[in-house]
Amino acid sequence: QLQLVESGGGLVQAGDSLRLSCAASGRNFDSYGMGWLRQAPGKEREFVAAISWSGDSTYYADSVKGRFTISRDNAKSTVYLQMDSLKPEDTAVYYCAGYVNGEVTTAKAYDYWGQGTQVTVSS
């Protein structure tokens, strides 16, 4: 199992950058693909980005492609989300999650979840 703890959220202005971190504990972090998903008030949870267990493959939602970068450091059991050129519509609670199999762009593919970190982007 994985225990996941996100950090790095906050209040920023449009155009600013943030880097989210997700520290994992438990066994075999490098056996899991990892993803970031987000949920805005009144909306369903949506896929943001994912990375394979090795880091060789990455996936992005169209809405963040070119602005966000997912990466991982298996030696530190940590996954990151670098968010640049933030927009007010990026405001949401961001969740780190781990998966083994499945369609990584859907929330149901993820077996383990963190508690989330709030990101607020003001205009």
Side-chain angles (χ1 to χ4, degrees), residues 27-33 53 72 74 99-100:
R27 299 180 61 182
N28 302 326
F29 172 73
D30 57 4
S31 297
Y32 296 90
W53 66 270
R72 66 189 295 161
N74 285 345
Y99 71 90
V100 176

Side-chain angles (χ1 to χ4, degrees), residues 6-110:
E6 303 95 335
S7 62
L11 172 63
V12 297
Q13 294 186 331
D16 285 351
S17 297
L18 274 177
R19 188 174 84 153
L20 304 183
S21 299
C22 173
S25 59
R27 299 180 61 182
N28 302 326
F29 172 73
D30 57 4
S31 297
Y32 296 90
M34 299 298 296
W36 288 94
L37 298 91
R38 66 188 181 187
Q39 189 165 18
K43 295 187 177 182
E44 293 189 355
R45 196 166 296 188
E46 66 173 1
F47 169 76
V48 176
I51 188 167
S52 62
W53 66 270
S54 65
D56 288 345
S57 299
T58 56
Y59 314 87
Y60 294 96
D62 288 342
S63 59
V64 307
K65 201 170 294 183
R67 299 189 298 122
F68 290 12
T69 303
I70 189 170
S71 62
R72 66 189 295 161
D73 185 338
N74 285 345
K76 295 182 178 180
S77 297
T78 302
V79 62
Y80 304 97
L81 185 68
Q82 177 67 41
M83 305 187 293
D84 298 321
S85 303
L86 282 161
K87 303 176 181 180
E89 50 263 45
D90 295 319
T91 295
V93 176
Y94 282 71
Y95 296 91
C96 170
Y99 71 90
V100 176
N101 294 302
E103 174 50 62
V104 301
T105 61
T106 62
K108 65 182 180 180
Y110 294 85

